[in-house]
């Protein structure tokens, strides 16, 4: 179920990113070559970006790709390490849970005001509800990933040799 | 005890609207309340320009100002201040719009959730182009012009121009190399974004092609914390008075911008002739009708009559001022 | 001021307790804002900030530049770049290491990320240097350092993020980064030469190339030159904006990969997925940092620090030196994007308040980030080298990095002392 969901969100997120690229390309070419920019390109871009980010966040949490500083092991016992992981998962879960809850409220407000994008008049509320739900999913994934996090070699306090600092899967650094 | 209101500004802190209108008004607030109400200016905007209404309604900041066009559809009544041919002199039309708004529209409560302390429209919008002089609607056909908001986008589409929806910095880049042909804008805005040197022609539209409706809003809970007599004292220096102050700073900024433009030899300013104005009036009529529909849906019985009232009041006063 | 200090302290404690940096910043910002303004307001602030960051047109430049870099990495041009540099420089002692630096610089012209540069160039350069008996300490350090050019030579994801955060003109930032980027190449080449001079055994052999080979190798890098010209030329000629340039660049790189028949369905999917994931990681961080910034706005720290600096009698340049030292320390301890997101909101108003140019400061910050990426203990690039060469112990990489760190420190000082180096080109292109 989890794997299946991860594949699905990954697939949609990737497709939307490709679409984002194509839209920018069409907009620029349209403006410069045919004197006709793509109507609403910037508002579609904004919606796509939000959707891509929130579609990918649960997978990022599951695979533990968020940037964590593994500087030194202040604590070296396995128990302390597990406590750290639990604390970290609960903190992450609360933050994204809170964000999801308030994004949902933002969706309710957008319904009330009838908020829509300027040129295409796309309603904004569904976007807010969509990313709110994904934010909840993301929050839960932090807890689901917890056993895995506690079980990884990084957590198993092999900390005396500096070489274990670089668990390759944690090196998914974006810049 | 003293109440401190925290002010979030999406304009730069040194912008003339802050230095010549907001800060003096804050000082006056402190004065009329004998120091019981103070305004603290935050170093940066809370949230983004587009989110100021939400920011104040939810109490993330206590006081801010908003542009009606930034949240299309939310403030259909205030959008009247953004329509074409309202007036040429902000010193006149800013307070006049405030009076008309309060008389007909404020009771309909479109700013539900915040306390509205003033609303006014800022300065008349014109057409600026890099190479081609715009003297008729036909001249605007096919021109790529930067649009400043939903109303001007509709307007440009209406006259067959191509609206370019880019931020001011992006528009600057595209203007400097001819990727776009010009920008709609107030004289003050064009100067503020340093676009003066990039423009070859400016067509000033008597009565203004568009404007921006600015509202100063306060969080209701913060407002309730202020003693009733202090609230009353603040209200007397807000609304029409603050609108007039805002209008005056925009008038002055517009005047200075125009003086600077006249010095630039490569930029020719001209005033649209009556034929062009008549063409434009015809072109925007359907946009006004569409606005009237939205305003009606919000509960205003006869929007076009209210618009007419505003226009004739402004026209009478502008004539008198001359 | 006290609140701001407590906020920074709390976020550092959380970060070093291995809470994801995004969450550490976000939680601190939430708690701080809640205590200063109110809990209800603070939770709403979380959502507003998240929405405004995620639904921002100007920020779509980030995924698109990442995508461009990943497509480019998939085209295999890294091999040609390295061959071209090797044809010209391979003949001298240590020439393969110098060639690695130059080809990293070339790759940086089409890739905005330093990590992607390490991985892509490293996979080509490391086996080659190993086959010529270069010491691992030199090879790995050269790759780690050379790859930091990815974030200074435009396009650069970090420069773009700085530009968005501070509302600084991205085209100008790119122009300003060109000379410091070139200085970076020269500095790293000097570091290679110094290493080889101290320890001739670290680079025992050389590869000579004929004139014909050089000519052919140079010709083969045209796709990179074309894409670089397309992206920067488009920005400077105003055909498109910096934001749009990212989309055009990504599309160009996509076409290039297609033309070279590198894109199977699976490869395309992997590239897209990887880019989308990186995007989510970056935006997670940015959202956390923006939440923290909203809290910072209410602490009065900006004004307090600025007036402290003004009253302290420090000369403006001394303030810059202090800021540089703080960045060097943080850079050694932290990941660089997080460092930038955390500190720029605080330092930027001070630096500009002292009358310094925001474009110059942006470039200085990026060079400091480059330094941080190779400074142990937390030098991101040192670890990334090990992701494709796990048999090289981190201590070996660290042993070789010294001269490169020294070159970066000198470069920081030069760029801080002579703003003209950064500011001449933007003035030439845009004013
Ligand atoms: Na680059
Ligand atoms: Na570092």
């Amino acid at each position: 179920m989890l794997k299946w969901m991860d594949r699905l969100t990954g697939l949609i997120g990737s497709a939307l990113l490709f679409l984002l690229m194509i839209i920018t390309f069409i907009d620029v070419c349209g403006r410069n070559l045919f004197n006709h920019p793509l109507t609403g390109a910037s508002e579609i871009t904004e919606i796509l970006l939000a959707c891509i980010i929130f579609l990918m966040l649960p997978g990022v949490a599951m695979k533990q790709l968020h940037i964590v500083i593994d500087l030194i092991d202040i604590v070296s016992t396995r128990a302390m390490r597990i406590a750290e992981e639990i604390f970290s998962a609960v903190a992450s879960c609360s933050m994204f849970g809170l964000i999801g809850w308030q994004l949902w409220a933002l969706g309710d407000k957008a319904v009330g005001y009838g908020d829509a994008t300027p040129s295409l008049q796309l309603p904004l509320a569904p976007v807010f509800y969509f990313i709110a739900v994904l934010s909840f999913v993301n929050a839960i994934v932090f807890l689901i990933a917890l056993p895995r996090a506690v079980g990884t070699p990084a957590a198993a306090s092999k900390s005396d040799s500096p070489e274990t600092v670089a668990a390759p899967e944690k090196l998914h650094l974006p810049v | 005890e003293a109440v401190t209101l925290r002010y979030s500004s999406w304009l730069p802190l040194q912008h003339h609207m802050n230095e010549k209108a907001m800060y003096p008004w804050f000082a006056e607030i402190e004065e009329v309340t004998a120091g019981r109400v103070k305004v603290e200016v935050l170093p940066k905007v809370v949230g983004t320009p587009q989110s100021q209404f939400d920011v104040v309604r939810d109490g993330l900041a206590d006081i801010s100002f908003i542009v009606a066009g930034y949240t299309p559809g939310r403030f259909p009544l205030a959008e009247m201040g953004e329509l074409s041919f309202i007036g040429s002199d902000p010193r006149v039309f800013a307070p006049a719009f405030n009076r008309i708004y309060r008389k007909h529209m404020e009771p309909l409560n479109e700013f539900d959730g915040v306390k509205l302390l003033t609303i006014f429209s800022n300065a008349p919008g014109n057409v600026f182009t890099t190479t081609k002089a715009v003297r008729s609607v036909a001249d605007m056909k096919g021109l790529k012009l930067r649009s400043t908001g939903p109303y001007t986008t509709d307007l440009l589409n209406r006259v067959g121009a191509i609206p370019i929806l880019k931020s001011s910095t992006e528009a600057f880049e595209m203007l400097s190399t001819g990727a776009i042909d010009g920008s709609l804008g107030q004289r003050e805005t064009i100067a503020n974004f340093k676009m003066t040197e990039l423009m070859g022609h400016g067509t000033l539209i008597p009565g203004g092609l568009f404007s921006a409706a600015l509202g100063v809003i306060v969080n209701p809970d913060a407002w309730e914390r202020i003693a009733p007599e202090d609230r009353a004292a603040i209200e007397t220096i807000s609304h029409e008075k603050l609108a007039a102050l805002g209008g005056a700073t925009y008038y002055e900024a517009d005047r200075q911008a125009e003086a600077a433009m006249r010095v630039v030899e490569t930029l020719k300013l001209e005033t649209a002739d009556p034929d062009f104005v008549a063409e434009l009036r015809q072109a925007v009529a359907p946009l006004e009708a569409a606005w009237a529909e939205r305003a009606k849906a919000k509960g205003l019985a006869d929007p076009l009559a209210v618009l007419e009232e505003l226009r004739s009041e402004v026209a009478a006063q502008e004539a008198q001022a001359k | 001021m006290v609140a701001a200090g407590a906020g920074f302290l709390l976020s550092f404690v959380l970060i070093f307790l291995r809470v994801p940096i995004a969450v550490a910043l976000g939680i601190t910002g939430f708690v701080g804002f809640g205590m200063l303004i109110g809990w209800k307001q603070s939770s709403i602030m979380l959502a507003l900030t998240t929405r405004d960051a995620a639904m921002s047109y100007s920020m779509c430049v980030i995924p698109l530049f990442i995508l461009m870099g990943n497509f480019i990495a998939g085209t295999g041009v890294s091999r040609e770049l390295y061959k071209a540099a090797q044809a010209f420089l391979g003949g001298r002692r240590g020439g393969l290491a110098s060639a690695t630096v130059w080809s990293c610089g070339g790759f940086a012209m089409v890739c905005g990320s330093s990590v992607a540069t390490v991985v892509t160039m490293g996979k080509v350069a490391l086996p080659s240097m190993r086959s010529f008996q270069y010491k691992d300490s030199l090879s790995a350090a050269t790759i780690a350092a050379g790859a930091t050019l990815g974030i200074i030579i435009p396009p650069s994801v970090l420069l773009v993020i700085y530009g968005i955060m501070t509302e600084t003109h991205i085209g100008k930032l790119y122009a300003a980064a060109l000379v410091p980027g070139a200085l970076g190449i020269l500095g790293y080449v000097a570091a290679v030469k110094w290493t080889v001079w101290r320890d001739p055994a670290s680079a025992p052999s050389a590869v000579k190339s004929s004139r014909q080979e050089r000519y052919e190798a140079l010709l083969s890098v045209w796709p990179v030159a074309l894409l670089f010209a397309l992206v920067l030329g488009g920005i400077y000629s105003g055909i498109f904006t910096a934001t749009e340039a990212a989309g055009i660049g990504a599309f160009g790189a996509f076409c290039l990969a297609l033309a070279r028949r590198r894109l199977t369905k699976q490869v395309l999917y992997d590239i897209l997925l990887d880019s989308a994931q990186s995007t989510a990681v970056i935006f997670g961080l940015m959202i956390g940092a923006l939440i923290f910034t909203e809290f910072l706005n209410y602490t009065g720290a900006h004004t307090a620090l600025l007036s402290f600096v003004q009253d302290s009698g420090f000369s403006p340049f001394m303030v810059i030196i202090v800021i540089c030292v703080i960045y060097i320390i943080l850079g050694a301890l932290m990941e660089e994007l997080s460092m930038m997101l955390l500190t720029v909101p605080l330092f930027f108003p001070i630096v500009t308040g002292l009358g310094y140019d925001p474009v110059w400061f942006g470039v200085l910050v990026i060079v400091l980030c480059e330094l941080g990426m190779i400074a142990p203990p937390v030098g991101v690039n040192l670890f990334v080298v090990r992701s494709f060469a796990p048999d090289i112990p981190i201590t070996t990489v660290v042993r070789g990095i010294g001269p490169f760190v020294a070159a970066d420190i000198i470069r920081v000082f030069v760029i801080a002392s002579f703003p003209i180096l950064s500011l001449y080109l933007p003035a030439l292109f845009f004013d």
Side-chain angles (χ1 to χ4, degrees):
Chain A
M1 167 75 185
L2 263 179
K3 266 222 171 101
W4 177 82
M5 210 178 69
D6 183 46
R7 281 194 69 106
L8 186 71
T9 53
L11 200 67
I12 302 173
S14 306
L16 294 184
L17 180 59
F18 193 76
L19 189 62
L20 183 71
M21 178 183 85
I22 298 292
I23 283 175
T24 315
F25 182 76
I26 294 177
D27 183 36
V28 175
C29 290
R31 190 183 63 227
N32 287 302
L33 303 177
F34 309 105
N35 233 4
H36 198 290
L38 191 62
T39 309
S42 56
E43 49 199 68
I44 302 174
T45 298
E46 289 172 359
I47 292 173
L48 281 180
L49 184 59
C51 292
I52 293 169
I53 294 165
F54 278 87
L55 278 166
M56 301 316 288
L57 277 173
V60 165
M62 192 70 212
K63 295 169 207 155
Q64 296 178 274
L65 300 177
H66 279 296
I67 298 176
V68 172
I69 293 206
D70 240 335
L71 176 59
I72 23 164
D73 293 302
I74 309 166
V75 288
S76 53
T77 67
R78 183 172 162 76
M80 286 294 277
R81 205 59 191 254
I82 290 170
E84 267 181 22
E85 289 291 347
I86 293 174
F87 174 72
S88 159
V90 170
S92 308
C93 173
S94 333
M95 181 170 123
F96 281 97
L98 206 55
I99 288 177
W101 173 43
Q102 288 299 334
L103 279 174
W104 188 273
L106 221 53
D108 289 345
K109 284 172 194 159
V111 170
Y113 291 118
D115 283 345
T117 62
S119 357
L120 297 174
Q121 292 291 313
L122 303 170
L124 285 171
V127 181
F128 295 150
Y129 288 135
F130 183 62
I131 60 177
V133 169
L134 285 167
S135 193
F136 285 129
V137 173
N138 184 31
I140 294 164
V141 166
F142 275 105
L143 297 184
I144 296 176
L146 187 55
R148 214 183 118 185
V150 170
T152 54
S157 102
K158 278 202 293 173
S159 52
D160 7 289
S161 79
E163 282 152 58
T164 54
V165 172
E169 64 167 9
K170 294 240 161 158
L171 290 174
H172 197 282
L173 293 162
V175 286
Chain B
E1 87 272 29
V3 176
T4 302
L5 301 176
R6 289 153 309 192
Y7 170 61
S8 154
S9 169
W10 54 270
L11 281 172
L13 296 182
Q14 298 87 9
H15 190 273
H16 64 78
M17 178 63 197
N18 276 330
E19 293 207 318
K20 306 252 178 64
M22 297 306 280
Y23 301 160
W25 178 61
F26 296 160
E28 221 181 327
I29 288 179
E30 204 171 328
E31 201 184 297
V32 298
T33 60
R36 286 182 299 272
V37 179
K38 290 191 172 67
V39 182
E40 179 195 334
V41 178
L42 291 167
K44 79 161 198 81
V45 61
V46 179
T48 58
Q50 290 74 16
S51 66
Q52 289 310 292
F53 181 80
D54 298 354
V55 159
V56 169
R57 179 199 56 208
D58 295 332
L60 277 54
D62 299 319
I63 179 165
S64 180
F65 63 94
I66 57 133
V67 177
Y70 280 177
T71 45
R74 266 203 202 181
F75 310 113
L77 304 176
E79 279 172 24
M80 180 172 74
E82 312 204 324
L83 298 177
S84 308
F85 305 115
I86 300 291
S88 300
D89 186 344
R91 292 173 304 179
V92 172
F93 69 68
F97 174 56
N98 185 270
R99 271 196 306 279
I100 301 285
Y101 187 91
R102 293 196 78 199
K103 183 170 155 200
H104 297 286
M105 297 166 162
E106 200 173 35
L108 298 170
N109 218 8
E110 76 177 337
F111 284 89
D112 192 21
V114 299
K115 168 74 188 166
L116 182 70
L117 278 184
T118 194
I119 185 160
F120 63 97
S121 42
N122 65 357
N126 305 299
V127 186
F128 290 88
T129 44
T130 50
T131 47
K132 191 177 179 186
V134 171
R135 298 194 179 100
S136 66
V137 164
D139 286 338
M140 295 179 82
K141 258 203 182 67
L143 286 187
K144 283 177 269 190
L145 299 174
R146 179 185 177 236
S147 161
T148 54
Y151 177 72
T152 54
T153 304
D154 288 348
L155 194 154
L156 287 170
N157 279 326
R158 212 42 236 156
V159 298
I162 298 151
I164 301 293
L165 294 138
K166 294 285 170 187
S167 71
S168 57
T169 42
E170 286 182 307
F172 178 91
E173 286 175 45
M174 294 160 86
L175 277 169
S176 60
T177 54
I180 61 175
D181 305 308
S183 174
L184 296 187
Q186 290 93 339
R187 281 160 283 196
E188 167 268 344
T189 321
I190 295 293
N192 235 335
F193 295 147
K194 304 188 174 60
M195 292 175 183
T196 307
E197 308 271 337
L198 303 176
M199 299 298 185
H201 287 274
T203 308
L204 305 180
I205 313 289
L209 191 54
F210 63 93
S211 185
L214 305 182
V216 173
I217 53 174
V218 179
N219 175 269
D221 297 336
W223 185 246
E224 289 302 317
R225 281 202 302 274
I226 300 171
E229 64 273 19
D230 288 341
R231 283 193 301 227
I234 293 171
E235 295 226 42
T236 56
I237 59 162
S238 304
H239 302 296
E240 203 178 323
K241 275 190 90 176
L242 183 53
L245 190 58
T249 68
Y250 271 97
Y251 173 82
E252 184 54 27
D254 240 13
R255 197 185 62 76
Q256 284 176 9
E258 184 175 333
M261 285 173 179
R262 300 246 176 231
V263 180
V264 177
E265 273 181 24
T266 49
L267 171 58
K268 296 209 168 35
L269 287 187
E270 52 188 290
T271 304
D273 63 27
D275 290 348
F276 184 18
V277 173
E279 274 187 310
L280 285 170
R281 276 186 195 278
Q282 210 173 7
V284 300
L287 302 180
E288 267 166 35
W291 165 78
E293 284 308 309
R294 294 198 299 277
K296 242 184 213 157
K298 195 80 188 176
L300 189 63
D302 192 353
L304 291 177
V306 177
L307 178 59
E308 190 42 45
E309 187 181 341
L310 171 63
R311 277 182 178 147
S312 55
E313 194 174 320
V314 172
Q317 284 184 44
E318 282 186 354
Q320 204 177 22
K322 275 180 190 164
Chain C
M1 191 65 206
V2 177
F8 275 101
L9 195 68
L10 175 61
S11 59
F12 277 117
V13 168
L14 291 176
I15 285 169
F16 290 116
L17 283 176
R18 302 181 70 258
V19 174
I21 300 177
V23 176
L25 294 180
I27 291 276
T28 310
F30 169 71
V31 171
F33 200 96
M35 286 169 68
L36 291 175
I37 308 300
W39 296 102
K40 183 175 142 262
Q41 287 88 336
S42 193
S43 13
I44 294 171
M45 181 272 290
L46 288 184
L48 280 184
T49 309
T50 305
R51 177 196 69 182
D52 293 340
M55 294 184 68
S56 148
Y57 174 71
S58 57
M59 293 220 199
C60 80
V61 65
I62 294 168
L64 291 173
F65 269 139
I66 294 174
L67 188 58
M68 175 182 172
N70 287 346
F71 272 134
I72 277 291
T75 58
V77 296
S78 51
R79 193 165 300 279
E80 279 131 42
L81 276 169
Y82 181 72
K83 277 220 175 106
Q86 179 199 316
F88 282 89
L89 301 164
R92 286 175 224 146
R93 192 172 270 279
L96 290 185
S98 305
T100 303
V101 172
W102 279 96
S103 50
C104 282
F107 192 74
M109 297 183 352
V110 285
C111 174
S113 138
S114 127
V115 169
T117 309
V118 181
V119 174
T120 317
M121 291 313 303
K123 276 183 193 153
V124 177
L126 187 68
S128 160
M129 286 190 278
R130 278 186 155 179
S131 69
F132 287 96
Q133 275 83 45
Y134 276 48
K135 277 193 181 162
D136 281 346
S137 59
L138 174 63
S139 319
T142 307
I143 292 163
T148 66
L149 294 167
I151 56 158
I152 184 83
I153 295 174
S156 156
V157 172
L158 270 193
L159 265 181
V160 162
I161 292 176
Y162 174 89
I164 295 172
M165 278 171 85
T166 62
E167 293 175 347
T168 306
H169 193 293
I170 291 170
K172 284 187 182 175
L173 284 169
Y174 278 181
L178 287 171
V179 171
L183 287 179
I185 296 183
L186 299 181
Y188 296 147
V189 168
V192 167
K193 296 221 143 116
W194 196 81
T195 308
V196 176
W197 174 71
R198 285 290 306 263
D199 176 14
S202 63
S205 50
V207 219
K208 287 257 188 284
S209 304
S210 70
R211 186 177 281 242
Q212 177 68 18
E213 281 171 322
R214 289 183 180 186
Y215 181 69
E216 276 169 14
L218 197 61
L219 270 189
S220 71
V221 299
W222 68 266
V224 172
L226 184 72
L227 209 55
F228 182 69
L230 179 70
V231 170
L232 280 215
I235 294 175
Y236 293 134
S237 64
I239 296 171
F240 37 79
T241 65
T243 310
E244 294 168 342
I248 300 292
F251 191 79
F254 167 68
C255 293
L256 189 63
L258 264 188
R260 299 184 142 217
R261 304 177 178 280
R262 293 278 181 157
L263 282 187
T264 61
K265 252 190 214 152
Q266 187 60 44
V267 171
L268 175 64
Y269 178 62
D270 287 345
I271 289 175
L272 287 168
L273 184 70
D274 195 66
S275 309
Q277 271 175 351
S278 296
T279 302
V281 172
I282 292 191
F283 275 84
L285 266 183
M286 295 201 58
I287 289 166
L290 287 169
I291 291 169
F292 188 82
T293 308
E294 290 294 350
F295 152 66
L296 210 55
N297 191 27
Y298 269 110
T299 60
H302 303 91
T303 6
L305 258 184
L306 186 59
S307 61
F308 169 75
V309 163
Q310 281 163 344
D311 299 343
S312 67
F314 279 10
S315 72
F317 190 70
M318 269 169 73
V319 176
I320 295 295
I321 294 296
V322 170
I323 289 178
C324 287
V325 170
I326 294 174
Y327 271 121
I328 291 172
I329 296 169
L330 281 180
L333 298 176
M334 276 187 86
E335 187 275 328
E336 279 56 45
L337 173 59
S338 325
M339 170 176 91
M340 206 178 88
L341 292 173
L342 185 68
T343 54
V344 165
L346 191 64
F347 291 153
F348 183 79
I350 296 172
V351 172
T352 48
L354 290 172
Y356 284 105
D357 192 299
V359 171
W360 165 81
F361 184 61
V363 171
L364 184 64
V365 169
I366 301 301
V367 175
L368 284 158
C369 285
E370 283 189 84
L371 174 55
M373 284 177 163
I374 55 170
V378 185
V380 164
N381 284 15
L382 308 179
F383 300 142
V384 180
V385 169
R386 296 192 63 255
S387 71
F388 57 85
D391 56 314
I392 305 180
I394 190 95
T395 43
T396 307
V397 191
V398 169
R399 197 159 355 105
I401 205 71
F404 296 92
V405 170
D408 268 352
I409 291 177
I410 295 169
R411 180 156 57 118
V412 164
F413 189 75
V414 168
I415 288 163
S417 310
F418 305 103
I420 183 79
L421 290 173
S422 320
L423 296 177
Y424 179 72
L425 285 180
L428 188 69
F429 290 161
F430 290 102
D431 293 340

